[in-house]
Amino acid sequence: MVPSANQGRIQSIWGDERMNTVFPLDTLVTCLSDLERQLRFDLEAYFDIQLDAFIRHIPYSSPKR
C-alpha cells in the first residue's frame, strides 16, 4: 500500500500494468485487514496448522540500516 494523505493505492510486484487509481485510506486499510484475516483462515484450514505456533519457528532478521 502506498499511502498519501487520506488516500492510497496498491502496488504489487505481480501487476501486469501500472495503475495509479487511488482509494480512501480507511477503505484500503479495512480491505487489506480483511484480506489478511481471510488468508490466515484459509492457510490454517488448508495446511491444518496454527500460524501463531508455526511462525515462531521461522528465522527472521530485520533489515540492516
Side-chain angles (χ1 to χ4, degrees):
M1 181 171 69
V2 181
S4 175
N6 63 346
Q7 295 185 327
R9 62 184 173 84
I10 299 294
Q11 184 174 343
S12 171
I13 61 172
W14 297 289
D16 290 336
E17 54 187 79
R18 187 177 183 110
M19 296 181 67
N20 290 318
T21 306
V22 294
F23 300 95
L25 202 52
D26 60 338
T27 301
L28 282 179
V29 170
T30 299
C31 290
L32 288 173
S33 294
D34 291 347
L35 175 63
E36 180 185 27
R37 197 171 11 267
Q38 187 62 50
L39 182 57
R40 170 181 281 271
F41 176 81
D42 291 344
L43 286 170
E44 288 179 339
Y46 184 83
F47 291 107
D48 192 26
I49 60 171
Q50 294 298 312
L51 285 177
D52 289 335
F54 179 77
I55 288 175
R56 69 174 157 234
H57 297 288
I58 298 174
Y60 171 78
S61 63
S62 60
K64 299 200 178 1
R65 292 182 186 220

